[in-house]
Amino acid sequence: MPAVQETIDQVKAIDVDQYKYGFVSDIDSEKGAKGLSEETVRFISAKKQEPEWMTEWRLDALRRFQTMEEPNWARVDYPKIDFDALYYWASPKSVEGPKSLDEVDPELLATYEKLGIPLREQEILAGVEPKNRVAVDAVFDSVSVVTTFKEELKKAGVIFCSISEAIREHPELVKKYLGSVVPVTDNYYATLNSAVFSDGSFVYIPEGVRCPMELSTYFRINEMNTGQFERTLIIAEKGSYVSYLEGCTAPQRDENQLHAAVVELVALDDAEIKYSTVQNWFPGDSEGKGGIYNFVTKRGDCRGKNSKISWTQVETGSAITWKYPSCILRGDNSVGEFYSIAVSNGYQQIDSGTKMIHLGKNTSSRIISKGISAGKSSNTYRGLVSAHRKASNARNFTQCDSLLIGQDCGAHTVPYIESKNASAVFEHEATTSKISDDQMFYCLQRGLDEEGAVALIVNGFVKDVIQQLPMEFAVEAQKLISISLEGSVG
Amino acid sequence: MLEIKNLHARIAEDGTEILRGIDLKVNAGEIHAIMGPNGSGKSTLSYILAGKEDYEVTEGEIIFHGENLLDMEADERAVAGVFLAFQYPIEIPGVATMEFLKTALNAQRKAKGKAELSIPDFMKLVKEKAGDLNVTMDMLKRPLNVGFSGGEKKRAEILQMSLLEPSLCVLDETDSGLDIDALRIVSEGVNKLRSPERAMVVITHYQRLLDHIIPDVVHVLSKGKIVKTGGKELALELEKNGYADFIEAA
């Protein structure tokens, strides 16, 4: 298995707790909108040249936010965030809305190159299509820098652009769907996001179209004291299919940074959306200093019959993760899936899981969650499976496995199950295990070193979920997991 | 090749003394059988050779290829050529047997400064070795030792041994849990690995394994000491009279 070997090599090459993506790009940046106020909201809206209805939508959210209390039910602990000390807007100066690649600041391009994100579209040579082509929307702090393969996708009728552009160019779609899955007042951070969201991606797949390539958005926070408020909206019309992947990294900084995102997915009749996340925000240093607060609301609405939404997430980064990608199974026969690997090391805190809300008839859902805790971290799975009165024959299978490495970490499982329909069948299985000394000794006796042995055992533990990732990212995710656990033994 | 001198060891956790002065010399090409009743320290000896951390050596030394084995970590010993076929092989969920074999082989090659085997070369090698041991492709795709029958587990151990080509093979109760047919397959696998450059230490309760794997020397271990050493006929004698005489002697 080359991935494991590569992992071992990489781990060896790195000193203790080195976050690979922790560099800061020296980019002339414009920062604005400090503090949370009507002025800030108007500033952002003006920057993005938004129509009046959007500005009003934001202001409404702000007013509602100001009446809300921060929730405290999650098993995470952090000092109160001072929303007035944050900047809500930071943009590389050279960027005034996405444009052609030739006009983008070379330093920005270099940043993405360093992160391994392809922004240059591969040429199609003599009719031979290169494999693994992926269209990328690159979001840097508050703005989308560039979106690749737009023209080619357009030919298939697919719209893939930044949400800012979509608000300007496709207002009818945005108006119809924005906030229709995650209402403005859904929760504290979603409401905040609705007021001050900066950029994110917009995807529209027309009826009957199978999106010709993987779509992905790559989020990067660079500026200090700046919150990133991602907003993503994906709409799959009847009978369409799309696979989408997001990745995220941030520089290594001493202070905590806030990323509060809202992602909404809508799948109409017979449509399928596969949404994968490889989250690698800076997790803080070995003392627990710095790192990203990742407070995210992700929800998919299986609005049409026979629709399907599948979430796959690999969470290795962030100081705090608070995230529950969910599915509303509204359409009859709709299917929701959640596959998750959450790795915590150092002082990381993860409270993550999913909600499967069964509303339609014959709906089914599947949850596979693999939590790995090491160091002094805390890792909680929190999930809700519910069947509405009318959700006859709802089916759910949940499996939550936790793996502990070392003595000082914690794993918790908090499943909620509610059934209001007698024909619903919900199954829940949970296990907690440790990498045993016997397993370690066995691997060492065969010649693997300690890190190689942990990598192998962990890769075995997460295999069911890794298999759900798009091929191109599966190997990457395996490597990432091993690197995150580096130094967790011995 | 291997020389154990006055080895004393105890369980690290509670200090229980298990080995009380073992002396053993094994030359390349030889097969030594170690027999003895339950609790005599046979398995402990195999774990100490392989470097398990649960034991503490209080006295004595182990020289392997001229080096002090006790100074080396478990993985270093493996790379140096020590292989332990476990009495109870450990399950590694989610890791296909094939994947495990490849990872182990390449880890050792890398530690020795050799290039990793290419996938086709590796597949060819595994297929050849697996065939001899009646290990099917289906079994190689299953997670290592998970849900394996007793026979499958032991065959998987010997397959690893034949791939990794150690210079010292320690077989801990390899016959336990095997039916007659499985015993024959496993023994044939072991016999195939006999070579002038390789030594084996075969730990067993019963003579029956030694009908298949014929030892050059037989030792009787009792209460942490070797109390008698002889040729292969010693095993037959034990089979007939039991260990009682030796327990008295110790």
Side-chain angles (χ1 to χ4, degrees):
Chain A
M1 194 170 93
V4 166
Q5 196 50 52
E6 260 177 69
T7 300
I8 297 166
D9 296 347
Q10 284 201 358
V11 166
K12 275 191 181 151
I14 296 170
D15 284 326
V16 178
D17 96 272
Q18 283 295 304
Y19 176 68
K20 197 174 154 196
Y21 305 103
F23 62 90
V24 177
S25 306
D26 184 14
I27 283 170
D28 209 5
S29 167
E30 184 193 356
K31 236 154 81 164
K34 189 177 180 184
L36 190 58
S37 65
E38 190 176 322
E39 203 188 334
T40 289
V41 171
R42 287 192 185 279
F43 176 89
I44 295 168
S45 196
K47 271 282 169 198
K48 294 158 74 71
Q49 300 159 27
E50 288 175 354
E52 186 57 29
W53 62 267
M54 195 68 241
T55 317
E56 282 308 317
W57 198 84
R58 287 172 177 276
L59 287 170
D60 177 50
L62 176 69
R63 283 188 286 268
R64 288 165 184 262
F65 179 75
Q66 282 160 342
T67 66
M68 293 169 94
E69 290 287 329
E70 190 167 359
N72 58 7
W73 43 261
R75 192 186 273 272
V76 294
D77 184 32
Y78 56 95
K80 213 167 165 50
I81 297 167
D82 181 0
F83 291 104
D84 284 327
L86 280 182
Y87 285 91
Y88 292 82
W89 180 266
S91 146
K93 262 196 183 145
S94 57
V95 181
E96 284 291 338
K99 47 189 169 183
S100 97
L101 210 55
D102 301 333
E103 297 167 76
V104 173
D105 185 344
E107 181 68 21
L108 264 177
L109 293 180
T111 300
Y112 282 96
E113 206 161 293
K114 219 163 154 182
L115 295 168
I117 312 299
L119 291 188
R120 300 236 170 242
E121 297 179 11
Q122 290 152 282
E123 308 283 326
I124 296 174
L125 296 165
V128 181
E129 298 227 0
K131 272 188 193 160
N132 305 337
R133 285 191 313 156
V134 179
V136 179
D137 182 20
V139 177
F140 195 86
D141 288 331
S142 304
V143 297
S144 166
V145 181
V146 72
T147 309
T148 63
F149 289 109
K150 262 166 95 168
E151 287 310 310
E152 197 176 330
L153 287 166
K154 210 172 176 179
K155 280 183 214 151
V158 172
I159 304 171
F160 180 43
C161 62
S162 71
I163 192 93
S164 308
E165 189 181 334
I167 291 167
R168 293 193 300 266
E169 309 290 327
H170 308 284
E172 67 302 336
L173 287 172
V174 176
K175 262 190 197 169
K176 185 171 174 190
Y177 291 106
L178 190 74
S180 74
V181 185
V182 179
V184 169
T185 51
D186 188 78
N187 69 71
Y188 190 72
Y189 289 104
T191 308
L192 174 65
N193 176 286
S194 299
V196 298
F197 72 84
S198 36
D199 228 333
S201 299
F202 177 82
V203 178
Y204 177 80
I205 315 289
E207 189 169 336
V209 170
R210 196 178 167 86
C211 188
M213 62 181 88
E214 295 274 340
L215 304 183
S216 77
T217 304
Y218 199 86
F219 292 91
R220 173 83 178 164
I221 303 178
N222 190 55
E223 273 303 315
M224 242 191 270
N225 299 325
T226 304
Q228 188 179 56
F229 302 93
E230 160 202 357
R231 186 95 197 189
T232 290
L233 177 59
I234 299 177
I235 302 145
E237 283 282 3
K238 289 180 184 173
S240 66
Y241 171 84
V242 63
S243 169
Y244 174 95
L245 182 123
E246 66 165 355
C248 358
T249 59
Q252 201 157 353
R253 296 192 185 280
D254 284 350
E255 72 274 15
N256 297 105
Q257 287 170 293
L258 178 63
H259 174 87
V262 172
V263 174
E264 297 176 278
L265 314 182
V266 180
L268 299 172
D269 291 359
D270 304 301
E272 181 177 349
I273 301 174
K274 190 174 162 64
Y275 190 107
S276 313
T277 304
V278 176
Q279 187 265 106
N280 188 21
W281 296 118
F282 177 52
D285 67 12
S286 56
E287 312 276 283
K289 205 169 171 196
I292 301 286
Y293 291 166
N294 192 32
F295 300 146
V296 172
T297 306
K298 288 184 168 168
R299 196 172 302 154
D301 189 354
C302 287
R303 209 163 278 183
K305 60 178 166 44
N306 307 319
S307 57
K308 180 176 176 185
I309 289 179
S310 176
W311 298 99
T312 304
Q313 60 172 23
V314 177
E315 303 280 319
T316 59
S318 298
I320 298 178
T321 300
W322 183 99
K323 176 183 170 189
Y324 315 89
S326 304
C327 296
I328 300 168
L329 301 167
R330 199 184 302 276
D332 291 346
N333 311 318
S334 59
V335 177
E337 292 177 335
F338 175 74
Y339 298 99
S340 170
I341 299 170
V343 183
S344 59
N345 198 355
Y347 285 85
Q348 282 176 278
Q349 305 174 56
I350 295 181
D351 194 303
S352 182
T354 184
K355 287 192 274 188
M356 292 291 172
I357 315 289
H358 293 257
L359 301 178
K361 294 184 176 62
N362 306 315
T363 50
S364 66
S365 60
R366 184 179 167 83
I367 299 170
I368 308 284
S369 165
K370 304 274 181 178
I372 301 161
S373 353
K376 295 181 174 357
S377 66
S378 152
N379 201 327
T380 303
Y381 168 83
R382 188 183 301 277
L384 168 70
V385 179
S386 80
H388 188 263
R389 207 161 43 76
K390 291 177 180 163
S392 49
N393 299 316
R395 294 283 179 276
N396 167 267
F397 174 75
T398 299
Q399 188 182 336
C400 291
D401 296 327
S402 304
L403 186 69
L404 299 166
I405 302 174
Q407 308 291 330
D408 302 321
C409 53
H412 314 274
T413 303
V414 190
Y416 300 85
I417 297 172
E418 294 170 4
S419 176
K420 292 182 180 147
N421 186 300
S423 63
V425 178
F426 293 166
E427 291 174 68
H428 182 97
E429 288 179 10
T431 65
T432 302
S433 53
K434 287 189 73 166
I435 292 186
S436 71
D437 292 345
D438 284 344
Q439 282 177 327
M440 285 300 287
F441 174 60
Y442 190 82
C443 293
L444 294 178
Q445 211 299 306
R446 299 307 186 238
L448 279 72
D449 60 16
E450 283 198 348
E451 260 146 6
V454 170
L456 185 80
I457 295 166
V458 168
N459 280 334
F461 178 74
V462 300
K463 193 174 160 209
D464 298 349
V465 176
I466 292 281
Q467 282 172 341
Q468 299 297 328
L469 282 173
M471 191 73 132
E472 304 85 313
F473 303 105
V475 175
E476 197 56 39
Q478 267 182 342
K479 281 195 259 175
L480 188 58
I481 291 164
S482 305
I483 289 173
S484 304
L485 289 171
E486 176 216 341
S488 61
V489 284
Chain B
M1 172 190 292
L2 175 74
E3 192 169 7
I4 302 174
K5 294 179 193 162
N6 192 29
L7 186 70
H8 287 71
R10 60 187 183 199
I11 297 174
E13 203 173 40
D14 59 13
T16 310
E17 202 171 16
I18 308 279
L19 302 184
R20 305 160 196 250
I22 295 215
D23 289 286
L24 180 67
K25 195 172 171 187
V26 181
N27 296 314
E30 291 178 353
I31 294 190
H32 289 235
I34 296 185
M35 302 183 73
N38 290 326
S40 56
K42 301 189 301 293
S43 288
T44 300
L45 178 62
S46 71
Y47 284 144
I48 288 174
L49 284 170
K52 199 167 196 237
E53 283 177 349
D54 304 353
Y55 304 94
E56 199 182 323
V57 172
T58 50
E59 221 183 308
E61 58 179 355
I62 305 176
I63 305 296
F64 180 60
H65 288 301
E67 288 189 64
N68 188 349
L69 199 68
L70 296 174
D71 284 347
M72 297 157 84
E73 299 293 334
D75 53 329
E76 295 168 339
R77 296 184 197 195
V79 173
V82 176
F83 183 94
L84 170 62
F86 283 62
Q87 182 180 4
Y88 304 109
I90 309 296
E91 296 182 359
I92 314 279
V95 178
T97 302
M98 182 76 92
E99 196 175 302
F100 184 84
L101 295 174
K102 186 154 160 281
T103 308
L105 183 62
N106 281 331
Q108 292 213 10
R109 289 180 67 93
K110 191 153 178 270
K112 290 171 187 162
K114 288 191 205 162
E116 289 190 3
L117 271 192
S118 70
I119 292 177
D121 286 349
F122 171 76
M123 293 298 287
K124 211 177 129 200
L125 186 66
V126 170
K127 275 186 187 154
E128 178 196 317
K129 307 257 181 191
D132 293 344
L133 287 159
N134 227 354
V135 171
T136 59
M137 206 55 188
D138 169 64
M139 192 177 143
L140 291 170
K141 285 181 186 159
R142 282 153 57 196
L144 183 66
N145 294 326
V146 178
F148 281 20
S149 70
E152 284 174 329
K153 283 184 181 172
K154 296 299 166 76
R155 269 150 46 206
E157 291 293 288
I158 304 306
L159 174 59
Q160 294 180 51
M161 192 162 99
S162 80
L163 270 176
L164 296 173
E165 302 187 323
S167 55
L168 175 67
C169 306
V170 182
L171 288 84
D172 188 8
E173 311 246 356
T174 294
D175 52 332
S176 70
L178 293 186
D179 59 35
I180 305 286
D181 293 333
L183 183 65
R184 186 179 45 78
I185 294 169
V186 166
S187 306
E188 278 170 11
V190 173
N191 284 330
K192 239 185 172 159
L193 292 173
R194 289 186 90 143
S195 104
E197 287 83 44
R198 184 172 288 138
M200 296 194 190
V201 173
V202 180
I203 291 169
T204 181
H205 276 295
Y206 302 110
Q207 144 69 21
R208 67 166 190 172
L209 178 67
L210 304 180
D211 286 340
H212 299 271
I213 303 171
I214 302 185
D216 300 300
V217 187
V218 175
H219 307 275
V220 179
L221 191 65
S222 177
K223 294 182 183 168
K225 269 185 174 169
I226 289 177
V227 291
K228 185 157 177 120
T229 296
K232 61 182 183 227
E233 66 289 345
L234 179 58
L236 293 167
E237 193 186 316
L238 283 169
E239 182 83 351
K240 210 158 66 186
N241 302 332
Y243 293 114
D245 298 347
F246 301 105
I247 293 168
E248 290 305 311

